[in-house]
């Protein structure tokens, strides 16, 4: 069955955008996943098809209207796929959540603009609020593309070797070990000797140690999870 993404956006021309290229693009062409970008403006109010209004309580900027967004959501909701609102106020996106989304039938993504979205439609539609990081984008479209890219590459038949997903950063609570390829020496920098030894056990040990070392320095939160999971501290 095709994994289907509906995107609700004021800028439908931004899709599939970069997802029309490379692995995701090929998979789109092959029908492994499909995408429909719906223009929220189609559901706008009045002659000008207004989608936003001033915030109750005052303050800068405009807020996307609940009635407009509810109609847009209603045009694609199927009771099967989760509705995700991209927002910096959301729960941070994780590889675990991406894996679950990829394992389901697809997703409906609502992209905010302006100051954000009337909270009532988020609650009424039981939407999941997801953030792609602690910074503010000008709209939800790039966040939606990031989420989709992460999910699509996990769909069966998209990635070359299934094993590559298992060893990646976050799959084991560790960041990935560093990679090297030819030439074995470049600008007087040699590749770590173990990697050219042909000793598979030593290579696996080296990689685990390198992954643990970098995680401990860069992401002590992930390292603590790794240790808590019962892994032996290297
Ligand atoms: N006033 C909002 C705040 O401070 O939380 C920021 C609104 S932002 C300018 C406009 C839209 O961009 C948001 O409604 C959301 O859809 C999207 N957006 C911005 N940063 C994001 C992030 N880190 N993750 C997901 N979506 C984001």
């Amino acid at each position: 069955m095709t994994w289907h993404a509906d995107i609700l956006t004021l800028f439908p021309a931004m899709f599939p955008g970069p997802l029309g290229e490379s692995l995701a693009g090929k998979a789109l062409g092959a029908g492994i996943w499909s995408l429909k970008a719906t223009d929220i403006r189609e559901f706008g109010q009045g002659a000008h098809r207004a989608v936003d209004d001033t915030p109750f309580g005052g303050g800068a900027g405009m807020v996307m209207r609940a009635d407009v967004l509810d109609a847009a959501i209603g045009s694609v909701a199927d009771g099967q796929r989760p509705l995700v609102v991209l927002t910096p106020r959301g729960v941070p996106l994780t590889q675990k959540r991406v894996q679950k989304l990829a394992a389901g039938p697809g997703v409906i993504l609502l992209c905010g603009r302006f100051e954000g979205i009337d909270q009532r439609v988020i609650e009424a539609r039981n939407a999941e609020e997801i953030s792609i990081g602690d910074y503010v984008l000008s709209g939800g479209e790039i966040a939606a593309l990031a989420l989709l890219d992460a999910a699509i590459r996990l769909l069966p038949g998209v990635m070359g070797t299934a094993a590559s997903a298992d060893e990646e950063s976050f799959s084991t609570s560790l960041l990935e070990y560093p990679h090297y390829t030819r030439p074995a020496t470049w600008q007087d920098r040699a590749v770590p000797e173990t990697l050219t030894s042909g000793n598979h056990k030593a290579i696996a040990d080296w990689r685990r140690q390198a992954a643990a070392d970098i995680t401990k320095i860069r992401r002590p939160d992930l390292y603590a999870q790794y240790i808590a999971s019962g892994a032996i501290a290297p």
Side-chain angles (χ1 to χ4, degrees):
M1 206 185 69
T2 300
W3 193 89
H4 185 65
D6 271 294
I7 324 292
L8 304 172
T9 170
L10 285 171
F11 299 97
M14 287 176 77
F15 297 89
L19 299 179
E21 302 287 334
S22 188
L23 283 183
K26 269 188 209 144
L28 184 59
I32 294 175
W33 71 287
S34 58
L35 170 143
K36 184 169 165 249
T38 298
D39 190 346
I40 294 169
R41 185 119 1 231
E42 285 173 25
F43 303 89
Q45 299 277 318
H48 297 292
R49 296 203 172 275
V51 297
D52 56 343
D53 212 323
T54 52
F56 281 121
M62 301 293 274
V63 176
M64 295 179 86
R65 291 174 59 125
D67 51 355
V68 171
L69 294 179
D70 188 61
I73 295 164
S75 74
V76 296
D78 59 4
Q80 307 284 315
R81 293 166 300 148
L83 169 65
V84 170
V85 175
L86 284 320
T87 163
R89 299 179 59 234
V91 173
L93 183 62
T94 61
Q95 187 66 11
K96 213 172 245 164
R97 186 65 192 109
V98 169
Q99 280 163 351
K100 271 208 177 139
L101 285 172
V107 70
I108 299 168
L109 300 175
L110 173 55
C111 304
R113 281 273 158 179
F114 320 121
E115 282 311 307
I117 291 167
D118 189 312
Q119 191 63 26
R120 292 170 296 179
V121 70
I122 295 174
E123 288 164 15
R125 286 284 183 176
N126 203 16
E128 182 180 348
E129 295 177 79
I130 289 185
S131 162
I132 65 156
D134 290 343
Y135 41 79
V136 180
L137 302 166
S138 50
E141 288 76 11
I142 287 174
L145 288 167
L147 182 152
L148 286 175
D149 182 80
I152 290 159
R153 63 195 290 283
L154 298 182
L155 299 176
V158 176
M159 259 196 289
T161 44
S164 45
D166 298 339
E167 289 194 9
E168 286 181 319
S169 296
F170 309 119
S171 297
T172 58
S173 318
L174 289 180
L175 302 179
E176 202 181 42
Y177 50 79
H179 298 286
Y180 301 91
T181 186
R182 289 185 185 83
T185 301
W186 174 74
Q187 292 192 352
D188 295 332
R189 291 164 185 267
V191 164
E193 222 176 287
T194 312
L195 298 182
T196 55
S197 68
N199 180 338
H200 296 302
K201 159 104 180 44
I203 291 171
D205 287 348
W206 184 91
R207 285 180 166 165
R208 199 170 42 250
Q209 183 68 53
D213 289 347
I214 198 69
T215 308
K216 196 172 179 182
I217 294 166
R218 292 191 182 163
R219 294 291 303 273
D221 55 325
L222 290 181
Y223 187 73
Q225 270 178 40
Y226 172 68
I227 298 301
S229 73
I232 302 151

